[in-house]
Amino acid sequence: MDAIRIRASSWSELFDCAHRWEGKYLLGMTRPSTGAAHLGTSIHHATASFDESARVHAGLTVDEAAGVFVTELANPTEEVNRVESDLPPRVAERIGVSLVSRYCAEISPKYVFKGIEITTKPLDITVGDITIQLSGTMDRSRIRAEGEGISIADIKSGKRAVTKGKATVKAHHIQVGIYELLAEHSLGETISGPAEIIGLQTTNSAAMGVSQVPDARAGLLGTANEPGLIEMAAGMLKSGIFPPNPSSMLCHPNYCPRWAVCLYHSR
């Protein structure tokens, strides 16, 4: 059997609602992006532009990075379906400019970045007779200097990105663990320090926070007594059974392309 490719950014979705994941990534079902998703993409594009400029000493200013955000927000490259929960465009622009400006002035200078959103080499992991190929660009992630080695810093934005002054780690550790595996495979260097989540909250508070993610790979790889998530994913792929999760925060027609034909959510 050929290797089954799973992008790093989709792993959290697989274990949130495997039924939705199957629809999106195996069956090719799609939905337009939302305003909230486009706001996040625009923030990440601008912060990545600033960090890459700092890495190569190109001199992009904080104000110029904010301008990159505004341009990106006003010119989506894919269809955006605005939903009721989205911020009004002017409010989204104001909050995004604040977050990008504060990130560039307050957070970015604390790091030495060795790579910004790098494209990784595919990594094949075989479990029984199933081969999973981990792949993808480290969207929103950076490789940062960590003493004599390297570690991962991953930016997450959204309304729940910060809790009590700290970046929200829940639901992000799986993706970060995949990034660690891919970074080591691609760069030939050992990830020596704990990963960090940099949270940028897209509410009027425009709060920011940072949290560490120690042992991000532990749940993926498992132990001698407990299967890891990679082994569990291989089991789903082999059986063809992808359990639904009607309690998922994304179990909604705005976010799930399979919602209209799904039997498992409430009507």
Side-chain angles (χ1 to χ4, degrees), residues 161-235:
V162 178
T163 304
K164 296 181 179 179
K166 292 288 188 179
T168 304
V169 172
K170 186 177 181 180
H172 300 319
H173 65 287
I174 299 174
Q175 184 176 355
V176 170
I178 295 291
Y179 282 157
E180 289 188 346
L181 293 173
L182 286 171
E184 287 191 344
H185 175 66
S186 300
L187 301 175
E189 296 186 57
T190 300
I191 299 293
S192 57
E196 288 188 344
I197 298 292
I198 302 169
L200 306 179
Q201 186 158 301
T202 54
T203 63
N204 284 322
S205 69
M208 302 188 303
V210 179
S211 296
Q212 286 194 344
V213 190
D215 299 322
R217 285 170 281 184
L220 290 165
L221 302 177
T223 67
N225 299 315
E226 297 287 345
L229 294 178
I230 293 175
E231 184 177 346
M232 292 181 185

Side-chain angles (χ1 to χ4, degrees), residues 51 103 107 111-113 115-117 138-146 150-156 176 179-180 191 193-199 210-211 213:
D51 288 340
Y103 170 85
I107 292 183
Y111 294 89
V112 176
F113 294 120
I116 311 296
E117 300 187 353
M138 293 178 60
D139 298 324
R140 309 179 183 189
S141 282
R142 288 92 167 100
I143 305 293
R144 65 185 178 94
E146 176 72 26
I150 58 174
S151 61
I152 303 295
D154 195 26
I155 294 180
K156 295 298 182 186
V176 170
Y179 282 157
E180 289 188 346
I191 299 293
E196 288 188 344
I197 298 292
I198 302 169
V210 179
S211 296
V213 190

Side-chain angles (χ1 to χ4, degrees), residues 46 61-73 97 100-101:
T61 68
V62 173
D63 286 345
E64 288 169 341
V68 170
F69 162 75
V70 171
T71 299
E72 188 76 10
L73 187 69
V97 166
V100 169
S101 299

